[in-house]
Amino acid sequence: MADLCDACRQIFIQKKASSSPFAHYGNVHDLVKASEHGCSLCSLVWSRLEPHEQDLLTVAQANSSVLEPPRITYHLSSSHRESGWDFDEHNGVKCTFDFGMPETGPIRKEILFLCLQGDIEQTTYHFNSLSKYSKQQDTCDSNSISIVDVISAAISRNPHSTVIDPKAFRQNTNTGSKESLERAARWVNRCIEAHSGCKHQSILTERRLPTRLVWVSPSENGPLRLCETSQLPPDTNYMTLSHCWGKKEFLTLTSENIDKFRAGIQFTDLAKTFQDAVTITRFMRIEYIWIDSLCIIQDSLKDWEKESLLMRDVYSNSFCNIAAAHARNGDGGCFVDRTLPAPPIRVTIPLSFGWDNHFNPGIYESRDSNLWADEIKQSVLQKRGWVFQECILAPRILYFASTQIFFSCKIRLCELYPETLGFFQQPNKRETAEDISQIGFWAQIRSAFADQLLSRRQLRAMLLWSSMVQIYTKRDLTRESDRLVAISGLAHSFQPVFGCRYLAGLWEDHLILQLLWMSRGESTRTESYQAPSWSWASRTGQVTMYTNMAMEIAIGMQLPSNHHTEFDEELAFVVDVETATANNDPMSPVTSGYLRMKGILIPVVLEDGEKEFKIRDHTCSVSADISGEKLVGRFCFVVCVYSDLWFDYQLYAARGLLLRPTGKMRGQYQRVGQVNVSVSDRYFRDEFHDEAISLDKKEVMTEDLYEHYDDELGLYTFTIV
């Protein structure tokens, strides 16, 4: 039985790349037949199709007497993996398959081949069946042995694979098996021993244990016990758990049963997810585990408020975090009987076949570029707001997903790819903010903290923090009152880097830039007070943070010398800012706050839900903070920032806030939206200033709209609450 069918073998021996697609199979039936007969690549491609796509193609094939059958083509292109802000020249090939559907358009699937080793001259292969293959010269007599034979042999006998043996993987049908847990333990121990970048305690204060931990008996299904940690050594190792609570009730710690928990907790009384987490802890030979519902008194608001602010210490000092990625509730568990994915393809391209088809000589293995996204990023667990900081703060994580175990620290591994999962990017396409934030977070924090220039350190931290907020605000929270508390652990971690006050989700330094957040998608006002209106925490839903200045710095570092970048110029200024919190801890729930500013203030009247207004010849576009809200009536616009980004063209823009008078105090406002202004040159500020003066003379700018006017600077003082 061949490893590859003739049609798939042709992919690797095309002599030239082409902008036109190559023919693969003339119909779906032939591809499915080749898959059934053992072609690894046809099987992999067919498995990548969603069930409804397979059904659609099968129906189209059945109706081929009436309609044109779905023909299959492919084209090849180089694929790149990102390293910081730079890209490697070539480390993979993307093979894109198109299933032609004349009525609806093609169905497209990508297979990525990761180049594990580019220089194969120094590599010895064991092609025992190929007598004329020379191990000494590592070349092949192509007159004696066909290219197809060499590729087929390489697929079967490549000793440099980072992929687990498919046969062994198929025999391991549960993620709780001894083999799976042994592999997970090796990943964790290797990280602890070899990854200095995953050790982050040096930038924290002294190591502190959680208030309570659950002691795990070493015997299988043995009793557990809640213990206070005050008598434990500070270097005590413990596991943590990230999980979905769901709606089904399970055993939790309460004021009534805390003494009983101290005496003992029966393993069989725990929810399935907790039982599996305890089993993993035992296997790792760790004596303690922290689980929120077993270590925080659930009916004590006082205990919850205290413990919820300690999440930085709880998760960042964890030996390893267990993430029940697939479980919707406590019954879901960590371990699953799995349906295994199609095995990967392994191909070696010898030096003598170095043709111009993107497959340079080397060792290639297929990678599912969507594996991490499908199993982890889109899992039910990753929709939880609290889990966001848990999975960033933890130095290493074992994700128990629907088909296999994944491991994440500064690298990513899984059972199918136990040495490297691989990560591809298209040229000139940076990683998403989510990937930047979840890989090497502590290394980035440490790097920023080590920067001797305070302003640059803060800008680097601001870019990272902004990415965090944008991702976090997409997540779900059961209680809106958790909006700031559920990210407080991350805020604690950023505090020594920023070196300034934390104010309701924003940082005091560069505050003007951070005020320019914008609602994205569905958003509503919180029913109870959570933060002043100038904070993103005062609204529900996702926000986009303004990061132009920090991004320009990063981009500017790569610009040729004949290019020039100017940063944002702040046109409004903070006079005073304060927030009050429940217990005087800046990370705890906010009870009140105000921001007193000085800037150019221009009255605006909007009618019938208008989303634009004019200032002289400049169009000002309004983005309402509350989705669907029609802004009607009297407002004021304050311009906050002017941007000038100059490459081979000039782009000028101004951004500011739309404010609604509260009517309670002179010059007091609530924020209701963000405003973008496209301007033709950098002298627009004078025009805005002149407009404000003219409106003042026309008595449009009445005294109730401001607290004070500086006639010399032409700036108004006002307060946002």
Side-chain angles (χ1 to χ4, degrees):
M1 187 179 293
D3 293 301
L4 294 179
C5 64
D6 289 340
C8 287
R9 286 174 179 171
Q10 290 296 319
I11 293 173
F12 303 99
I13 61 175
Q14 297 288 349
K15 290 189 175 182
K16 290 282 185 182
S18 172
S19 57
S20 301
F22 296 103
H24 188 248
Y25 275 114
N27 57 72
V28 173
H29 173 76
D30 289 344
L31 180 137
V32 174
K33 187 176 180 181
S35 172
E36 293 172 348
H37 282 86
C39 176
S40 301
L41 186 51
C42 285
S43 176
L44 185 62
V45 173
W46 185 248
S47 71
R48 295 285 174 84
L49 293 163
E50 299 292 336
H52 75 274
E53 293 174 329
Q54 293 181 351
D55 293 342
L56 188 64
L57 290 167
T58 302
V59 170
Q61 178 67 44
N63 295 329
S64 59
S65 58
V66 179
L67 301 173
E68 183 181 347
R71 299 185 182 278
I72 307 168
T73 60
Y74 68 90
H75 66 270
L76 303 172
S77 59
S78 295
S79 192
H80 297 70
R81 183 173 49 188
E82 188 174 4
S83 174
W85 295 102
D86 302 316
F87 294 92
D88 297 336
E89 289 184 2
H90 175 83
N91 51 27
V93 178
K94 180 175 70 173
C95 185
T96 305
F97 289 85
D98 280 337
F99 294 77
M101 295 288 288
E103 298 295 316
T104 61
I107 296 174
R108 179 165 295 173
K109 296 296 171 181
E110 296 178 352
I111 306 294
L112 297 172
F113 289 91
L114 173 65
C115 185
L116 300 179
Q117 183 175 334
D119 180 9
I120 62 172
E121 285 187 295
Q122 306 301 320
T123 304
T124 300
Y125 300 103
H126 306 290
F127 298 140
N128 297 328
S129 63
L130 301 178
S131 59
K132 294 187 180 182
Y133 183 82
S134 170
K135 294 183 181 180
Q136 287 74 31
Q137 297 180 354
D138 279 345
T139 59
C140 182
D141 182 357
S142 58
N143 293 322
S144 304
I145 302 174
S146 72
I147 298 169
V148 169
D149 288 337
V150 173
I151 292 176
S152 180
I155 292 171
S156 303
R157 301 176 179 85
N158 178 5
H160 299 275
S161 174
T162 63
V163 181
I164 190 172
D165 178 62
K167 183 178 180 181
F169 189 42
R170 283 198 175 93
Q171 292 173 348
N172 182 358
T173 58
N174 188 281
T175 53
S177 68
K178 180 181 178 182
E179 294 80 6
S180 291
L181 294 181
E182 283 178 343
R183 183 172 295 108
R186 287 196 296 270
W187 290 335
V188 173
N189 291 329
R190 185 169 61 184
C191 171
I192 290 171
E193 294 169 3
H195 294 171
S196 59
C198 296
K199 299 173 183 177
H200 51 264
Q201 284 82 0
S202 60
I203 69 168
L204 302 175
T205 55
E206 63 177 300
R207 189 177 193 266
R208 291 193 301 176
L209 291 174
T211 305
R212 307 177 189 93
L213 288 171
V214 174
W215 175 76
V216 177
S217 167
S219 60
E220 185 176 355
N221 297 336
L224 315 172
R225 185 174 68 249
L226 182 70
C227 63
E228 308 293 328
T229 62
S230 55
Q231 302 302 314
L232 293 178
D235 60 350
T236 298
N237 285 327
Y238 62 91
M239 305 286 279
T240 50
L241 175 67
S242 292
H243 67 104
C244 288
W245 281 55
K247 296 182 179 180
K248 195 167 184 178
E249 292 187 1
F250 51 84
L251 181 68
T252 63
L253 178 65
T254 64
S255 303
E256 268 188 31
N257 64 18
I258 187 168
D259 289 333
K260 183 180 178 181
F261 271 39
R262 287 169 179 152
I265 307 170
Q266 291 300 312
F267 179 84
T268 52
D269 290 342
L270 298 178
K272 179 66 167 58
T273 300
F274 298 174
Q275 290 180 356
D276 289 350
V278 168
T279 299
I280 297 163
T281 302
R282 282 197 181 106
F283 197 93
M284 296 287 175
R285 298 183 179 180
I286 301 299
E287 293 186 16
Y288 297 92
I289 185 170
W290 186 91
I291 300 175
D292 51 6
S293 54
L294 300 181
C295 296
I296 300 176
I297 304 173
Q298 297 301 308
D299 59 351
S300 170
L301 179 61
K302 182 180 179 181
D303 193 64
W304 184 88
E305 287 179 343
K306 174 193 169 189
E307 296 298 315
S308 64
L309 296 177
L310 302 178
M311 293 302 101
R312 178 195 67 173
D313 294 323
V314 169
Y315 282 92
S316 64
N317 291 318
S318 168
F319 183 80
C320 181
N321 187 40
I322 302 165
H326 73 93
R328 295 183 177 276
N329 53 45
D331 289 343
C334 296
F335 307 142
V336 292
D337 293 324
R338 55 184 167 198
T339 302
L340 299 171
I345 312 298
R346 288 163 275 174
V347 177
T348 297
I349 308 297
L351 285 173
S352 54
F353 308 129
W355 292 328
D356 184 21
N357 68 347
H358 295 297
F359 278 102
N360 295 332
I363 305 169
Y364 292 82
E365 286 180 354
S366 64
R367 288 289 186 272
D368 184 348
S369 60
N370 294 320
L371 192 60
W372 180 267
D374 292 344
E375 293 265 15
I376 306 302
K377 286 174 65 175
Q378 296 176 18
S379 67
V380 292
L381 183 68
Q382 292 299 328
K383 293 179 172 63
R384 281 198 63 209
W386 278 95
V387 169
F388 176 69
Q389 71 170 359
E390 294 170 7
C391 289
I392 290 179
L393 291 169
R396 55 198 68 86
I397 310 167
L398 286 170
Y399 291 96
F400 286 79
S402 58
T403 64
Q404 55 187 307
I405 304 173
F406 289 76
F407 177 70
S408 176
C409 57
K410 71 174 186 178
I411 61 173
R412 286 176 181 164
L413 308 171
C414 65
E415 289 188 84
L416 188 58
Y417 304 110
E419 298 301 323
T420 171
L421 180 55
F423 186 76
F424 278 87
Q425 286 290 351
Q426 293 302 304
N428 301 322
K429 180 182 177 182
R430 294 187 178 87
E431 290 179 277
T432 65
E434 189 156 359
D435 289 317
I436 290 172
S437 66
Q438 291 183 349
I439 293 183
F441 166 73
W442 286 106
Q444 293 186 60
I445 285 287
R446 186 184 294 104
S447 175
F449 189 66
D451 198 320
Q452 298 300 310
L453 187 60
L454 177 61
S455 59
R456 188 169 60 216
R457 181 172 78 203
Q458 290 177 333
L459 290 173
R460 292 171 66 180
M462 189 177 76
L463 178 59
L464 188 56
W465 175 258
S466 297
S467 298
M468 304 287 184
V469 171
Q470 290 178 185
I471 305 158
Y472 166 70
T473 53
K474 287 194 299 185
R475 306 294 184 95
D476 298 329
L477 288 169
T478 304
R479 299 183 300 184
E480 64 178 24
S481 59
D482 292 349
R483 192 155 168 86
L484 282 173
V485 180
I487 201 174
S488 62
L490 283 173
H492 271 296
S493 300
F494 274 89
Q495 185 79 65
V497 184
F498 276 106
C500 61
R501 287 191 298 165
Y502 179 68
L503 302 162
L506 308 177
W507 299 91
E508 185 172 19
D509 290 347
H510 305 291
L511 181 59
I512 293 294
L513 291 172
Q514 298 170 75
L515 294 174
L516 297 172
W517 55 267
M518 183 168 61
S519 293
R520 184 177 179 181
E522 292 294 321
S523 61
T524 60
R525 289 187 181 87
T526 56
E527 293 183 8
S528 58
Y529 185 90
Q530 301 302 320
S533 65
W534 43 265
S535 167
W536 53 265
S538 64
R539 309 287 190 268
T540 65
Q542 186 185 8
V543 299
T544 299
M545 301 295 286
Y546 179 74
T547 55
N548 250 22
M549 180 162 61
M551 287 299 293
E552 285 174 19
I553 291 175
I555 296 170
M557 292 169 63
Q558 299 185 97
L559 289 178
S561 58
N562 62 334
H563 282 161
H564 173 67
T565 301
E566 289 186 5
F567 302 149
D568 308 279
E569 179 184 357
E570 296 182 5
L571 303 180
F573 310 95
V574 175
V575 177
D576 186 22
V577 58
E578 292 290 344
T579 56
T581 58
N583 57 9
N584 294 323
D585 184 327
M587 311 301 171
S588 63
V590 176
T591 56
S592 65
Y594 69 87
L595 168 64
R596 184 165 288 111
M597 295 178 63
K598 183 181 291 187
I600 301 172
L601 204 58
I602 301 177
V604 174
V605 176
L606 296 179
E607 298 178 356
D608 196 27
E610 292 174 316
K611 295 183 179 180
E612 291 183 348
F613 59 89
K614 285 274 192 179
I615 297 180
R616 300 286 171 101
D617 294 328
H618 305 294
T619 300
C620 305
S621 302
V622 179
S623 173
D625 290 343
I626 306 302
S627 55
E629 181 180 26
K630 288 187 177 182
L631 299 175
V632 179
R634 189 186 186 197
F635 303 90
C636 275
F637 166 54
V638 55
V639 59
C640 294
V641 169
Y642 159 75
S643 300
D644 176 3
L645 185 60
W646 185 5
F647 293 104
D648 292 327
Y649 58 89
Q650 285 183 320
L651 175 65
Y652 304 99
R655 290 172 175 83
L657 305 178
L658 191 67
L659 309 174
R660 174 187 283 144
T662 65
K664 297 178 180 179
M665 295 179 63
R666 176 179 173 179
Q668 187 184 78
Y669 295 87
Q670 282 192 328
R671 172 187 157 141
V672 294
Q674 193 242 40
V675 180
N676 288 334
V677 188
S678 296
V679 293
S680 57
D681 57 55
R682 64 181 63 194
Y683 303 110
F684 81 97
R685 180 182 179 182
D686 295 336
E687 297 181 48
F688 278 28
H689 184 260
D690 292 344
E691 178 73 3
I693 293 175
S694 67
L695 292 173
D696 184 50
K697 290 180 178 178
K698 295 176 183 177
E699 297 184 351
V700 175
M701 190 66 178
T702 54
E703 289 188 354
D704 62 306
L705 296 178
Y706 60 91
E707 298 172 13
H708 174 73
Y709 178 65
D710 188 323
D711 189 54
E712 184 177 348
L713 298 176
L715 301 178
Y716 293 94
T717 301
F718 54 94
T719 298
I720 310 175
V721 295

